Amino acid sequence: MSIAAEITLPAAPASPRAGWALWPWQAWATRLASLLACVLLWHWAASTRVHLGLVTFANVPPPLEVLNAGRDLLQSPKLLKHLGASLYRVFAGFLVAAIVGAGLGLVIGRFARARNALLPPLEVLRPIPAVAWIPLSILLFPSSEASMIFITFVGAVFPILLNTIHGVEGVDSRLIASARSLGTRRLRVFTEVILPAAAPAIVTGLSIGMGTCWFCLVTAEMISGQFGIGYYTWESYTLQNYPDIIVGMLLIGVLGMGSSIALRQLGRALMPWQRGSGQ
Amino acid sequence: MNVQPQGQQAPGRVEIDRVSIRLGSGAGAFQALDEVSFRLAPGEFVCLLGPSGCGKSTLLGALAGHLKPVAGSLALDGVAIGGPAPERGLVFQHHTLFPWKTVLDNVAFGLKMRGVAAAERKKQARELIELVGLGGFERHYPGQLSGGMQQRVEIARVLINRPRVLLMDEPFGALDALTRLKMQELLLDIWGRFGTTVLFITHDIDEALFLSDRILIMGPRPGRIIETLEAGFARPRSAELAMTAQFAQLKRHCLALLHHDGVAPVLPRLTPLGAPQARDLQFAI
Ligand SMILES: Nc1ncnc2c1ncn2[C@@H]1O[C@H](COP(=O)(O)OP(=O)(O)OP(=O)(O)O)[C@@H](O)[C@H]1O
Ligand SMILES: [Mg+2]
């Protein structure tokens, strides 16, 4: 993952193309058609066993088989347990990552000394992929549940941290000067100015972190367990249940997308000044 | 409206005594101000004119308490200035309203910092919003207002602290001519009510002459005061003032003084408080 993917400037209030704004149903139709096209392409490739030299679809299960596997999972009593276990791990890891990432980011972004003291070790840890953390997290945490949460935490914390730092560094120093001239004490500058000014960047970081958190779910649930969507996917692989693998993958994709969108919507609701004709 | 007097007896005497300021660090450090001295009488309206980069904003930053001089002293009513304080209100060219707060909450901010109860601070904020002519916009966010309205809110936000001196750094420099004229009249009206001392930086000689009792003219780097002019036109003043011969004569004098030192050297436009300023204005003549 590159830094560029993790740092995104706080999204300017969406200025959708005029046509899209005029007929939202057309936008939705396009989006739906795009998804449908992907499924059709997949169906075609899998059923005609396309062989392209480097890539072959000969062993890829077609959409209908996956749909059947999905229906089976839907009717299985295990589904809720899988979902519950995974949601718990993702949200626990994410919550800790949000607190640690945003907290550290505020301090690092504001104080040069904290930056010099804290950032070097974090920069060393950042490129380490979640998989590589598995052995150490098993050693670090006696409970396997905790080590799984640690992995999802690792997945989410860096985008949140980096976006928060970026947001804090971007705070207009004149805003701080004005706040101080209006009688704001040093500590209160944090809550009154820096936090709200960096909020859009923090929400962006949280939304990306939510995505990377799901991204690491399979890795986390490789550690152990009986339940979890990641575990289900991994187990299907060891049992060579290919349609089930794809069901697991798609489930993670949909849940990850859903929670990122929910987070962004929450951000919009909490930051009304970002909407409309704002700057 | 009970937002007036109170200021009448309020002092606002500013004393600046041989103040020198260095900016930048390491090899890039340089003398931005060199032994600047002057005084502002309580309730006086003084404009500061000077070529770009001569250190006007630096001086204002020091008076606001954000920059520390290397030598000399700054005092308000006999008390040395040691840091930012609400008794010295600061207004920039581009507004610094909090985008996440409504107009009402922005204006009430100073009272919130002082621990005034919500109901009371909102009441006072409403009165000031009314005074600057923005009644009805209390619930708007700054991003939804025009540049002139934003500066009105900015002024109201500073006034709620009843400052003894107003420090204004090209506050109308980014506004169109008509809006600027209205804002100048508004400012004179407010100044008449509150009797606050005002130090007003501008690039616009007309603006300086129209507003002030006295004009300080600064020379280029290192900044120092090269001349003081009395602009003793009768008050209240109206836009017709600019048509009088006396006005034209003073204006010519200012122009000569500002051109005397030749064209200001082209320097990177940094601002002493850090943030970039969006526009580079030449003298509006
Ligand atoms: N943070 C800084 N570091 C280094 N140099 C600076 C800094 N801030 C300002 N300067 C320089 O100091 C000099 C004085 O700056 P200042 O902003 O006070 O000038 P000014 O008179 O307000 O100019 P203008 O009319 O363009 O606003 C300028 O030459 C400027 O480039
Ligand atoms: Mg300036």
Side-chain angles (χ1 to χ4, degrees), chain A residues 172-185 188 191-194 196-198 272-279, chain B residues 64 66 84-86 90 92 94-101 109-110 112-113 141 143-144 154 157-158 161 273-275:
Chain A
D172 184 347
S173 53
R174 296 175 320 137
L175 279 190
I176 298 170
S178 266
R180 303 261 295 119
S181 273
L182 289 166
T184 316
R185 298 275 160 78
R188 214 139 174 221
T191 52
E192 292 291 338
V193 183
I194 294 174
W273 70 92
Q274 286 252 302
R275 264 182 264 139
S277 60
Q279 31 134 301
Chain B
H66 294 294
L90 186 60
F92 293 100
H94 295 279
H95 80 90
T96 57
L97 299 171
F98 303 124
W100 53 87
K101 286 188 190 291
F109 183 77
K112 186 181 178 191
M113 291 302 103
Y141 286 98
Q144 299 171 312
E154 182 91 49
R157 184 174 71 161
V158 164
N161 284 320
L273 295 183

Side-chain angles (χ1 to χ4, degrees), chain A residues 15-55:
Chain A
S15 61
R17 303 284 291 279
W20 283 36
L22 282 179
W23 295 296
W25 61 268
Q26 273 195 339
W28 282 109
T30 313
R31 291 168 195 174
L32 216 67
S34 152
L35 281 176
L36 208 67
C38 286
V39 174
L40 284 176
L41 195 68
W42 167 22
H43 173 74
W44 170 78
S47 55
T48 56
R49 298 172 175 260
V50 175
H51 188 79
L52 296 171
L54 274 178
V55 191

Side-chain angles (χ1 to χ4, degrees), chain B residues 241-262:
Chain B
L241 175 65
M243 260 75 92
T244 63
Q246 210 189 350
F247 188 95
Q249 190 205 337
L250 264 178
K251 180 173 175 180
R252 221 172 292 129
H253 186 59
C254 285
L255 268 174
L257 275 171
L258 289 166
H259 276 295
H260 176 72
D261 288 287

Side-chain angles (χ1 to χ4, degrees), chain B residues 23-25 28 30 32-33 50-59 93 169-170 201 203 218 221 267-274 277 280-281:
Chain B
L23 285 178
S25 53
F30 65 94
L33 287 186
S52 189
C54 70
K56 304 181 295 295
S57 300
T58 307
L59 181 60
Q93 176 175 6
D169 194 347
E170 303 179 43
I201 294 180
H203 272 119
M218 278 179 84
R221 218 148 125 177
L267 295 165
R269 199 161 199 272
L270 299 164
T271 58
L273 295 183
Q277 281 183 329
D280 205 341
L281 285 172

